[in-house]
Amino acid sequence: MGATSISPKVERVDPADPVTEDIEDPAAPAPRRLSTLRVPKRPRLWFELLLIAVSYGVYSAIRNAAPTRVDKAQENARWIWDVQDALGLAFERTVNHAIEGVTWLIVTMNYYYATLHFVVTIAVLVWLFRCHPGRYGAIRMVLFATTGVALLGYYFYPLAPPRLMEGMDFIDTASVHNTWGSLSAEGSAMASVSNQYAAMPSMHIGWSLWCGITICVLAAPLWLKALGVLYPVVTLLVIVATANHFWLDAVGGVLCVAFGFAVARLWYGRSCFRLPRHVDGPALAGSRDS
């Protein structure tokens, strides 16, 4: 009997069949890198200082580079005033004249307007950096997004503040009392480096509301939470009493803050206040901290 040879069976592959072999996609690491950026990390002091300085410089440059359209700014101010009057809420002039009669109070408000806008915001950022490093980046993103979207209002909607409205008898409190840091007096050093017609939206309200919400949610002492509630409320009174803003400018500021929180939530996938409080380097994506 002759030897029989057994040939190995060769499997034929139909060219029409889909190829199931895994092929490494060069672009595959991109989503992983993006997800890494979205994980809270411990902030670095030098980077944060540089980022804040550069961002504020860019913000100021863009804000002040907006076209100075005085006629349009006056027209928009009159429209705002007429809308508020139609609603029965054109109370700015009454508040302005009433508080101007109390010298110590209006001078205090002038200094409040000129200083606390920066002092409190920086203090909250420092507190977050030291006590809530895991949440710092997300809450800082809210502030940056809030401020960034406000630039659109400054550029496309020039608005004269009440103190600069033509044909109205608002009292320019900072100019009358020669308050330090006055943005009011035309030709002054501060007025020459600031866009006088960038009043909508009010970032005094935007930043104070950001501070107030952050303090109310994250601070432990009840008295500090109470201050968080009071801060934007008092700021609203101040911007109206000093004739720097209409109350509708404050509404614009609130909308900007809402936009900022929405941006941070979309980026991190959850509320910035629910991110881990402490992180040692990159935090685990699913970790939580009360």
Side-chain angles (χ1 to χ4, degrees):
M1 181 179 293
T4 59
S5 62
I6 302 175
S7 301
K9 183 179 180 181
V10 178
E11 183 178 354
R12 299 184 61 189
V13 178
D14 189 341
D17 290 343
V19 178
T20 58
E21 181 182 359
D22 292 337
I23 300 177
E24 185 176 354
D25 183 0
R32 189 175 303 136
R33 287 195 297 267
L34 180 60
S35 63
T36 301
L37 291 174
R38 298 173 66 182
V39 174
K41 301 176 181 64
R42 179 175 294 278
R44 293 164 292 179
L45 180 59
W46 68 268
F47 177 78
E48 294 302 324
L49 292 175
L50 179 63
L51 181 63
I52 291 171
V54 171
S55 299
Y56 183 74
V58 172
Y59 163 77
S60 298
I62 295 176
R63 183 179 189 270
N64 297 332
T68 305
R69 293 167 286 176
V70 178
D71 292 341
K72 186 62 176 176
Q74 292 290 342
E75 178 185 332
N76 289 338
R78 175 59 64 177
W79 185 86
I80 291 283
W81 180 257
D82 289 344
V83 168
Q84 294 187 166
D85 189 45
L87 294 172
L89 295 172
F91 52 75
E92 288 89 347
R93 186 166 50 189
T94 301
V95 175
N96 173 238
H97 282 252
I99 297 184
E100 166 61 22
V102 186
T103 303
W104 68 267
L105 181 57
I106 196 62
V107 169
T108 300
M109 287 186 171
N110 286 341
Y111 284 117
Y112 180 112
Y113 184 87
T115 59
L116 292 193
H117 179 53
F118 301 102
V119 172
V120 176
T121 304
I122 292 172
V124 172
L125 283 170
V126 171
W127 171 60
L128 288 171
F129 184 90
R130 290 178 57 86
C131 300
H132 297 267
R135 297 162 180 157
Y136 174 88
I139 302 176
R140 185 247 289 139
M141 177 182 284
V142 174
L143 180 64
F144 279 31
T146 296
T147 306
V149 75
L151 292 173
L152 297 177
Y154 299 149
Y155 198 90
F156 294 106
Y157 194 80
L159 179 68
R163 58 184 169 77
L164 294 182
M165 278 187 72
E166 297 174 352
M168 303 291 284
D169 60 346
F170 281 100
I171 301 171
D172 192 343
T173 63
S175 180
V176 167
H177 296 281
N178 195 27
T179 306
W180 174 86
S182 171
L183 300 176
S184 303
E186 294 290 345
S188 68
M190 290 298 292
S192 64
V193 297
S194 177
N195 185 349
Q196 295 291 286
Y197 300 100
M200 171 66 86
S202 168
M203 278 300 93
H204 272 74
I205 290 298
W207 288 13
S208 66
L209 184 59
W210 173 86
C211 291
I213 292 174
T214 301
I215 292 170
C216 284
V217 175
L218 297 182
L222 186 59
W223 65 268
L224 198 53
K225 290 181 180 292
L227 287 180
V229 172
L230 286 175
Y231 181 46
V233 174
V234 174
T235 299
L236 175 60
L237 176 61
V238 167
I239 67 173
V240 169
T242 57
N244 278 292
H245 287 283
F246 299 100
W247 66 263
L248 275 177
D249 300 341
V251 173
V254 171
L255 293 176
C256 288
V257 175
F259 172 82
F261 275 105
V263 168
R265 185 176 185 90
L266 285 173
W267 181 256
Y268 286 97
R270 51 179 160 157
S271 168
C272 52
F273 299 120
R274 293 179 61 84
L275 292 171
R277 177 175 181 174
H278 296 288
V279 288
D280 295 321
L284 295 176
S287 64
R288 296 195 176 205
D289 191 0
S290 57

